[in-house]
Amino acid sequence: MSRIRTERLVNLVICLLSTRRFLTAAQIAATVPGYEHDPDDPKDHEAFQRKFERDKAELRELGVPLETGTASVFDSEPGYRIAHREYALPDIPLKPDEAAAVGIAARLWQHAGLAAAASSGLAKLRAAGVDVDPSATLGVEPVVTVDPAFAPLTAAARERRAVTFQYRTPEGDEPVARHLEPWGVVCWQGRWYVVGHDRDRGATRCFRLSRMVGAVKATGRPGAFTPPEQVDLISHVAHYSGPVPTVGRATVVVAPGRAAGLRRWATETLPGPDGDRLVLPYGDVERLAGTLVGYGADVTALDPPELRDAVIQALKEVVARYDTRADTPAEVAS
């Protein structure tokens, strides 16, 4: 199933779960991204109907309880909705690390473009006078931060539009303009990368999002290129990045009973009055700093000094995004 169709199906499910009344095909077409068409154009409308029929069949094959009916006896056109009781999952017991992984995935999903489309669709339903149940779908507040280039790159990959951006390599002081046909964005060893066809080099390349300077700009029309079939983006990034050598040892203090992941990672653990002191092997100070920041106030970086500086800088970036006091990061890290 293509990425575009997957996103359309997800937004269709969100739309139908967010109201208890039946929605007609016309209301769905005006609400769900991916169904836009001209209803007065016979060919365009027929194409929508074929697409909608395929999607309904797909949902039913996936076990989604899609119901057909009318909101009242006066309605002549049938509508659609999802039966909440049949669709709801039973309680699923998760281990702490499994629950954390699910939570991070849900929060990250909010950044990937699907949440924006879903929110837009629900706003359209409200504008059309359809009651929307805010508790019908999971609402997650974005906590996990991603690089600013994440959203424009995933959008460009979805629309198959080329992009241009300024990129700084570790060997160079000044960023250089690059032109890329993005195939997708993936996470590898705690870093986000985009993989695609580099028009400047005429070859497959991957770029780390944190090294992009300024805004990513889409160029040209949608559908300008076709990614290769069954491409393994992770393999490209892994081959490009290579193994990360362990070159340093960091010392951090963690609150009692917290940061289980760091405790498993540690080579030494020494109990203390304010928490446990852990010794962590690491290869990339920025990557380690990003990991520590994810634990919030439960972890304090002690050594080496460059790690503390990297943690403070990462916290400053988080604070800047949320428009809070600029001196908060230094206070948190101290």
Side-chain angles (χ1 to χ4, degrees):
M1 187 186 301
S2 69
R3 182 191 301 110
I4 294 176
R5 188 180 181 192
T6 299
E7 293 184 2
R8 187 175 68 242
L9 288 174
V10 170
N11 284 310
L12 175 59
V13 170
I14 292 174
C15 172
L16 296 178
L17 277 175
S18 298
T19 178
R20 298 187 181 278
R21 62 174 289 185
F22 290 98
L23 298 179
T24 65
Q27 290 174 315
I28 292 173
T31 302
V32 177
Y35 288 136
E36 300 87 350
H37 72 285
D38 182 1
D40 296 327
D41 184 333
K43 291 185 178 180
D44 201 19
H45 186 61
E46 182 181 354
F48 157 71
Q49 289 179 317
R50 289 197 303 267
K51 182 191 302 182
F52 186 46
E53 290 300 321
R54 288 196 303 268
D55 288 352
K56 288 192 297 180
E58 182 74 27
L59 290 182
R60 290 189 172 110
E61 288 179 6
L62 292 173
V64 177
L66 188 63
E67 295 182 334
T68 303
T70 56
S72 72
V73 295
F74 301 102
D75 292 337
S76 58
E77 183 180 356
Y80 306 89
R81 71 181 182 187
I82 292 176
H84 286 254
R85 292 183 179 178
E86 297 180 23
Y87 188 71
L89 289 172
D91 291 337
I92 301 176
L94 295 176
K95 297 179 180 179
D97 55 345
E98 294 173 333
V102 172
I104 290 173
R107 291 165 183 162
L108 179 59
W109 175 82
Q110 184 124 1
H111 291 274
L114 281 173
S119 298
S120 173
L122 298 185
K124 291 177 182 178
L125 284 178
R126 293 188 183 95
V130 177
D131 291 333
V132 174
D133 182 3
S135 63
T137 56
L138 175 64
V140 291
E141 180 180 353
V143 174
V144 177
T145 58
V146 292
D147 297 284
F150 183 91
L153 285 174
T154 52
R158 183 170 58 252
E159 298 171 1
R160 298 183 180 180
R161 296 185 67 184
V163 297
T164 181
F165 52 85
Q166 297 290 321
Y167 191 73
R168 179 183 288 113
T169 63
E171 300 79 16
D173 295 330
E174 296 297 327
V176 178
R178 307 302 291 264
H179 302 82
L180 183 74
E181 297 173 0
W183 300 340
V185 179
V186 294
C187 185
W188 170 253
Q189 294 186 338
R191 296 289 184 185
W192 288 98
Y193 297 83
V194 60
V195 181
H197 177 73
D198 186 343
R199 290 181 171 178
D200 301 304
R201 303 295 188 270
T204 302
R205 291 289 188 272
C206 63
F207 299 91
R208 202 166 90 178
L209 271 60
S210 62
R211 291 179 181 161
M212 295 181 181
V213 180
V216 174
K217 300 179 181 178
T219 60
R221 297 180 179 180
F225 62 89
T226 301
E229 296 289 339
Q230 306 299 327
V231 61
D232 187 346
L233 303 183
I234 289 291
S235 294
H236 282 289
V237 176
H239 177 74
Y240 161 81
S241 301
V244 178
T246 299
V247 298
R249 288 158 59 89
T251 304
V252 301
V253 173
V254 301
R258 311 295 292 180
L262 292 184
R263 293 177 185 275
R264 290 192 295 267
W265 180 3
T267 57
E268 297 180 28
T269 302
L270 298 174
D274 299 326
D276 296 332
R277 182 170 297 200
L278 309 183
V279 176
L280 307 173
Y282 71 94
D284 186 317
V285 68
E286 291 183 0
R287 181 178 301 162
L288 177 58
T291 300
L292 298 182
V293 168
Y295 287 95
D298 292 333
V299 176
T300 302
L302 298 182
D303 291 310
E306 55 265 29
L307 175 61
R308 285 178 53 82
D309 294 342
V311 169
I312 292 173
Q313 181 59 37
L315 288 171
K316 285 181 178 179
E317 293 175 0
V318 173
V319 170
R321 292 178 184 179
Y322 288 92
D323 294 326
T324 55
R325 295 191 310 121
D327 59 346
T328 301
E331 296 174 0
V332 172
S334 61

